[in-house]
Amino acid sequence: MDADVITIGGGLAGLAASNELVRAGKRVAILDQENAANLGGQAFWSLGGLFLVDTPMQRRLRVKDSFDLAWQDWQGSAQWDRFDGQHPEDEWARQWGRAYVEFAAGEKRAWLREQGIRFTPLVGWAERGDGRAGGHGNSVPRFHVPWGTGTGISEPFADKARAAAAAGKVRFHFRHQVDALMFDGGAVTGVRGTLLAPDSSARGVASNRNKVGEFELRAQAVIIASGGIGGNHGQVRTWWPQRLGTPPEKMITGVPQHVDGRMLDIADHAGVRLVNRDRMWHYTEGIQNWNPVWPDHAIRILPGPSSLWFDALGRRLPAPGLPGYDTLGTLKLLRTTPDIRQHSHSWFILNQKIIEKEFALSGSEQNPDITNRDLKLLLRSRLGRGAGAPIEAFKEHGEDFVVAENLADLVAGMNRLTDEPLLDHQHLLRQIEERDAEIRNPYSKDVQVSGIHNSRRFLGDRVFRTVKPHRILDPAAGPLIAVRLHVVTRKTLGGIQTDLTGQAFAQNGPRIPGLYAAGEAAGFGGGGAHGYNALEGTFLGGCLFTGRTAGRALAARL
């Protein structure tokens, strides 16, 4: 045996599993097709937000939360409905969903502190929902931001793995691309694959796939923690569901190119049961990174509630197509409306006053105040005058931004960014003036304006994230800004079906001895713990929870 357990993937799920195994005295081999610079995986690049329930941070901001409310929200969002047949696709997904909410409302925060993770006082209100109490969305703010953003989550686990490697308890096998699972008597006993040529590329940069040899490694068990398909547009298009219409001709990418989904197909071909592969999570507020790391590098805007959202033809999106409310509901609007399906973009229109307070960008590199744990910079950038430096850099250099002193010039600039002029100045002016008329009173029939007033009732949003209601066309709030938005490929919500220990199932029914799955490869638990929708802050937490679970289960069994 080369190790007690082989973990395929050096991302957050694999590291969480490794941590548990090492603590139990087991020897772990961590395989990754990328180089050592990429240890920690996608988590490193993220904002790092985590879904937590009924925390001191929430209570300080006067948020009343509970397990019951969170579970109501999770079920309303997941909408699991695949319970037919001999091996229902959602049978274990629902159990994992409930287990995760129990974790988030229970020991999750204390366990994270044990791992060295600390939180800012910020609690965000992500995915506000589709407007139904029992439907999709968070009833209250639950998005907790750690110090260090994604690096504050990934690096404590990466550091533990590095320390274990120095002590001889973990062995890293970078540039090892797994091509097949090895079986003996129906049990998984190892992996075989391709040795890739050395590559010194920086983290996230596309690496070579030059073959220099082959390998085999054996162990008592294997954990597949190889991530999803977000970096592989071909896979995204293959599994794109009809319920979301047609995939756009142009998409940009929210994860490095090596997030290619190839291990999911390898597992499928080996007889492992994969479920809910048509469930996926892609954002609609993406912009091209003006300083990219990987091909078609996308940055997602984390919008406050005040920007106006228009389709490619200049029509204001109806609810739930509101900034920050319903990600897949908005994607469905944009991809199923017949006369705009041919277009791959939509638009935000806002002004300088809105961008200064309401715009945030997802990603560790776009939030230097939190990533560098700089409290003074945090207060200055979030509460001071002007937009943060990363936002202003996108305004200046980003190809998707248009800035103008008046609407006519703004529309002209927007039309220059498309192959043909699709927008009419008078049409946009009428819609914006209609919205502005709704600002004169502290109440409104306009759903979005009502949402702005509601947002400001939450102390955190009033202080950090939601600007005082005002007219978009108020010259004092200018200049005007338009942002061209693209679809950002991101997360895989289906995957390898597992039981509550993380053990994988065979296509014909039984559990597969020696095979486990965690993280995105397992649909963040059971092959679909999120169901059709996610509540945000649940992806990194899902990697941690499933990795921890699989690691503990194997530590107890081996």
Side-chain angles (χ1 to χ4, degrees), residues 321-344:
L322 306 175
Y325 277 74
D326 185 346
T327 294
L328 293 192
T330 304
L331 181 60
K332 183 177 180 179
L333 277 172
L334 293 172
R335 301 310 311 156
T336 61
T337 303
D339 58 353
I340 59 171
R341 285 183 302 194
Q342 69 192 81
H343 304 293
S344 300

Side-chain angles (χ1 to χ4, degrees), residues 11 79 87 124 138 143 166 180 249 259 269 273 275 291 320 390 404 413 423 444 449-450 469 477 493 507:
Q79 300 170 30
H87 307 297
N138 285 293
F143 191 83
E249 181 179 343
V259 185
H269 295 154
R273 189 189 308 160
V275 295
N291 188 22
L423 304 174
S444 174
V449 173
S450 296
L493 299 187
Q507 292 169 359

Side-chain angles (χ1 to χ4, degrees), residues 264-524:
L264 294 175
D265 285 340
I266 290 168
D268 184 33
H269 295 154
V272 182
R273 189 189 308 160
L274 274 75
V275 295
N276 299 313
R277 297 192 73 176
D278 64 331
R279 293 181 184 167
M280 51 185 67
W281 187 261
H282 307 306
Y283 293 108
T284 48
E285 315 100 322
I287 50 178
Q288 293 271 6
N289 193 341
W290 64 272
N291 188 22
V293 176
W294 55 79
D296 292 320
H297 187 171
I299 296 295
R300 184 207 172 195
I301 296 171
L302 303 173
S306 301
S307 298
L308 294 184
W309 204 335
F310 296 89
D311 69 21
L313 300 180
R315 299 171 302 200
R316 190 177 170 197
L317 297 189
L322 306 175
Y325 277 74
D326 185 346
T327 294
L328 293 192
T330 304
L331 181 60
K332 183 177 180 179
L333 277 172
L334 293 172
R335 301 310 311 156
T336 61
T337 303
D339 58 353
I340 59 171
R341 285 183 302 194
Q342 69 192 81
H343 304 293
S344 300
H345 69 281
S346 59
W347 294 97
F348 277 165
I349 292 182
L350 59 152
N351 56 38
Q352 183 66 24
K353 189 172 183 179
I354 292 173
I355 204 172
E356 287 181 1
K357 188 161 188 176
E358 295 199 2
F359 261 39
L361 300 174
S362 183
S364 54
E365 80 279 22
Q366 302 299 331
N367 293 273
D369 51 353
I370 305 176
T371 300
N372 297 326
R373 306 171 192 242
D374 189 331
L375 181 58
K376 290 183 179 179
L377 180 59
L378 171 69
L379 294 174
R380 186 166 66 248
S381 62
R382 311 286 164 159
L383 297 177
R385 296 180 61 85
I391 300 290
E392 289 296 337
F394 267 90
K395 270 182 59 186
E396 180 179 355
H397 303 293
E399 65 182 68
D400 296 310
F401 281 73
V402 181
V403 182
E405 293 297 330
N406 59 72
L407 187 63
D409 289 344
L410 188 79
V411 173
M414 295 163 74
N415 278 330
R416 284 194 292 271
L417 293 185
T418 54
D419 293 335
E420 56 180 312
L422 301 173
L423 304 174
D424 177 75
H425 167 245
Q426 289 299 320
H427 183 213
L428 283 167
L429 177 63
R430 176 179 58 79
Q431 295 174 86
I432 298 172
E433 287 181 336
E434 287 173 349
R435 180 268 186 197
D436 281 358
E438 295 290 315
I439 294 297
R440 296 172 182 169
N441 296 291
Y443 44 84
S444 174
K445 72 175 183 179
D446 185 285
V447 173
Q448 184 175 2
V449 173
S450 296
I452 295 169
H453 290 302
N454 188 46
S455 179
R456 286 179 59 84
R457 293 188 183 98
F458 166 46
L459 179 62
D461 272 6
R462 187 166 71 249
V463 173
F464 289 104
R465 288 285 284 151
T466 305
V467 71
K468 184 178 180 180
H470 65 282
R471 293 185 298 114
I472 297 288
L473 297 178
D474 183 353
L480 293 171
I481 302 164
V483 187
R484 182 178 56 177
L485 306 173
H486 311 273
V487 172
V488 180
T489 60
R490 202 61 164 268
K491 298 298 180 185
T492 310
L493 299 187
I496 296 170
Q497 191 173 47
T498 61
D499 67 12
L500 285 177
T501 70
Q503 188 170 8
F505 288 93
Q507 292 169 359
N508 61 353
R511 293 168 175 83
I512 301 175
L515 185 62
Y516 289 70
E520 201 170 347
F524 301 93

